[in-house]
Amino acid sequence: MGRVFFMPVETSSRDLEYKSFIARKIFKKGDIFVFARPWVLQTLTNIFANINWLGQNCFEVSKLFKKSVKDNLKFKNGQLFYIDEEGGIFPNERAEEILTKRYAKKDFSKDDMVYCWGSRQQSIIKKLGIEAQIIGHPRFRPKEFPKPSKKEEILVMTSMTLMMSERNLAPAYVSEEIFIERLYKDSVNNFEKLISFVRNSKENILIRNHPSESRETYEKIFKNLKKVTILPRESLEKSLSRSNKIYHFNCTTALDAYCYGLKTNDLSDESFTILNDLKLTDDFSSLWLTYPPKIDILEEDLNTYSKKTKTGIMFKTFLISSCLLLELIYRLRTIINRDRYQDEKFGKFNFKLSKSILSVGFLMKT
């Protein structure tokens, strides 16, 4: 007997590190942790029972099976441990509105384990009848930075998804009732600031574009400027190690940099919840993010409420084969549909725990 955890990886640079960290913390003999694209794991919940799901990506209804992960967990004795990846960084004046509309569409039950970033989120979603524990976010925890850089390049982390994405994302934002005009305006203003910053800089500039933005577009824009380099799809740690001078446009990676003890500079004029709190004091404190996170609460819940199942050699073989087959199907679909957006968003899958084949990772004892 053991536990099977599905760890959906929507964006490798965001999800892999902290989910691998959690897996190592709670791993026991017989356990199987599967790290894969949401679509792969979503599909597998239609086949396997007693699954533990850690993360988000659980409310989308499958076009093929007409069920969501949440439906399958309910009917197949699974357990949801819900961690919101976008739970705390919003424009100050609209934060409560956005968070309320996001959670109003989520159909949680009393058996679901729901976690929030801070006391502000907890109070907002409680009005919707959703009980959540405050743990912060396991991604944002103090970390030791491997090798501080002595290079003189400037690192700029962008976040202008609505304007710089290869895909038209407007319909998705409309469905979430976020004001498109405001987002476009912010993107245009930030892009103008980026151009101005590049033009006035005397140093070489490294641009790490947001996972949802098109690298190719940035490369075309700056192709004739030798002092500008568009970074490849790489781990966030590697990008942060490239420079001691880090700038951003209200992006979440500014918090990641803080966890490594790195200072950042905001090039945007906008005021965003946690990032605004980050600017106010060196001793960071925010109602929107508990820092450092309460990993012990999450660890205890995972060990207490997770479901068990038989995880013998036949089960492992079938699970691994199913994952790889679905990954190949996904890649074929991407080629046929010419969908480069998802590849850019997913990024470089860099899994170092146990076994990794294609873009699927496993942590288990063989």
Side-chain angles (χ1 to χ4, degrees):
M1 297 289 287
R3 303 171 298 177
V4 179
F5 285 90
F6 281 2
M7 317 287 267
V9 179
E10 187 176 0
T11 304
S12 296
S13 61
R14 178 192 71 191
D15 301 337
L16 262 182
E17 189 277 334
Y18 90 81
K19 289 185 177 177
S20 299
F21 168 78
I22 292 172
R24 288 195 301 268
K25 293 278 286 184
I26 67 170
F27 182 78
K28 297 177 182 178
K29 184 178 180 180
D31 288 348
I32 302 174
F33 292 82
V34 185
F35 301 78
R37 302 177 195 272
W39 182 84
V40 171
L41 298 180
Q42 288 163 352
T43 305
L44 289 176
T45 60
N46 291 279
I47 303 171
F48 294 94
N50 306 308
I51 295 299
N52 301 288
W53 185 276
L54 178 64
Q56 51 181 27
N57 310 107
C58 56
F59 293 102
E60 298 88 347
V61 176
S62 167
K63 294 180 180 179
L64 178 61
F65 294 97
K66 309 301 180 185
K67 291 182 180 179
S68 67
V69 169
K70 184 68 175 61
D71 295 330
N72 289 326
L73 293 176
K74 177 180 179 180
F75 293 112
K76 293 178 178 290
N77 192 41
Q79 179 62 56
L80 173 62
F81 298 92
Y82 185 85
I83 298 177
D84 190 350
E85 303 297 349
E86 295 89 22
I89 299 180
F90 306 113
N92 265 331
E93 71 278 9
R94 297 192 52 243
E96 181 169 351
E97 174 195 1
I98 293 173
L99 196 66
T100 298
K101 289 177 178 176
R102 278 172 53 80
Y103 274 83
K105 300 178 181 180
K106 302 183 189 300
D107 183 23
F108 290 110
S109 67
K110 61 181 180 62
D111 295 324
D112 298 327
M113 306 301 296
V114 183
Y115 305 96
C116 58
W117 293 25
S119 58
R120 194 72 186 90
Q121 295 95 314
Q122 185 189 53
S123 64
I124 291 171
I125 64 177
K126 189 173 184 178
K127 297 175 185 177
L128 301 173
I130 300 171
E131 296 293 335
Q133 291 192 79
I134 303 171
I135 65 167
H137 193 295
R139 170 183 171 186
F140 305 121
R141 64 187 192 278
K143 303 171 189 175
E144 183 178 349
F145 199 63
K147 293 181 180 179
S149 173
K150 294 182 179 180
K151 296 182 179 180
E152 293 304 315
E153 289 97 343
I154 293 173
L155 173 64
V156 178
M157 301 185 292
T158 63
S159 183
M160 309 164 207
T161 300
L162 203 59
M163 176 181 175
M164 299 298 288
S165 172
E166 184 178 80
R167 177 184 289 183
N168 178 19
L169 299 178
Y173 283 93
V174 169
S175 67
E176 295 185 9
E177 299 182 52
I178 297 177
F179 299 121
I180 296 296
E181 290 186 10
R182 172 65 182 274
L183 289 173
Y184 272 129
K185 181 180 178 181
D186 291 346
S187 293
V188 171
N189 287 341
N190 286 340
F191 184 74
E192 290 175 348
K193 288 183 178 297
L194 174 62
I195 297 300
S196 177
F197 184 80
V198 169
R199 182 173 59 246
N200 295 322
S201 175
K202 296 180 180 179
E203 299 174 271
N204 292 330
I205 294 176
L206 308 173
I207 293 180
R208 176 187 171 87
N209 63 289
H210 189 276
S212 296
E213 296 176 333
S214 168
R215 285 184 64 252
E216 187 177 58
T217 300
Y218 276 100
E219 288 172 344
K220 288 179 180 178
I221 292 172
F222 294 106
K223 66 179 180 180
N224 293 321
L225 289 180
K226 292 184 178 180
K227 69 176 180 179
V228 176
T229 300
I230 311 302
L231 294 178
R233 293 188 295 173
E234 62 184 16
S235 69
L236 177 60
E237 290 81 1
K238 186 170 183 179
S239 292
L240 291 176
S241 71
R242 293 177 179 274
S243 176
N244 289 325
K245 300 176 183 179
I246 304 172
Y247 293 80
H248 67 92
F249 289 90
N250 274 324
C251 57
T252 314
T253 46
L255 272 177
D256 290 289
Y258 178 81
C259 295
Y260 283 111
L262 302 174
K263 292 185 177 181
T264 60
N265 304 280
D266 190 357
L267 292 173
S268 172
D269 292 332
E270 296 300 310
S271 180
F272 277 57
T273 50
I274 299 172
L275 300 182
N276 188 60
D277 294 336
L278 193 63
K279 301 174 190 175
L280 298 178
T281 174
D282 291 334
D283 184 17
F284 173 63
S285 133
S286 174
L287 295 176
W288 289 93
L289 178 68
T290 295
Y291 183 87
K294 300 177 181 178
I295 302 294
D296 55 333
I297 293 178
L298 179 60
E299 184 178 355
E300 183 178 351
D301 284 352
L302 290 169
N303 285 324
T304 302
Y305 298 105
S306 56
K307 306 292 185 177
K308 290 187 176 182
T309 191
K310 293 181 180 180
T311 56
I313 185 64
M314 293 296 292
F315 177 89
K316 290 178 181 177
T317 301
F318 181 53
L319 177 60
I320 292 172
S321 301
S322 300
C323 287
L324 297 180
L325 175 61
L326 287 172
E327 171 64 20
L328 289 172
I329 292 173
Y330 180 91
R331 293 190 178 198
L332 181 61
R333 286 175 51 196
T334 302
I335 293 172
I336 294 173
N337 296 331
R338 299 180 181 178
D339 186 359
R340 294 175 54 192
Y341 167 79
Q342 289 295 346
D343 281 341
E344 287 291 328
K345 187 176 182 181
F346 186 73
K348 185 178 180 181
F349 189 89
N350 186 21
F351 188 82
K352 299 179 180 179
L353 278 179
S354 181
K355 293 182 178 297
S356 178
I357 308 173
L358 298 175
S359 292
V360 181
F362 303 93
L363 173 62
M364 65 179 79
K365 286 189 176 180
T366 56

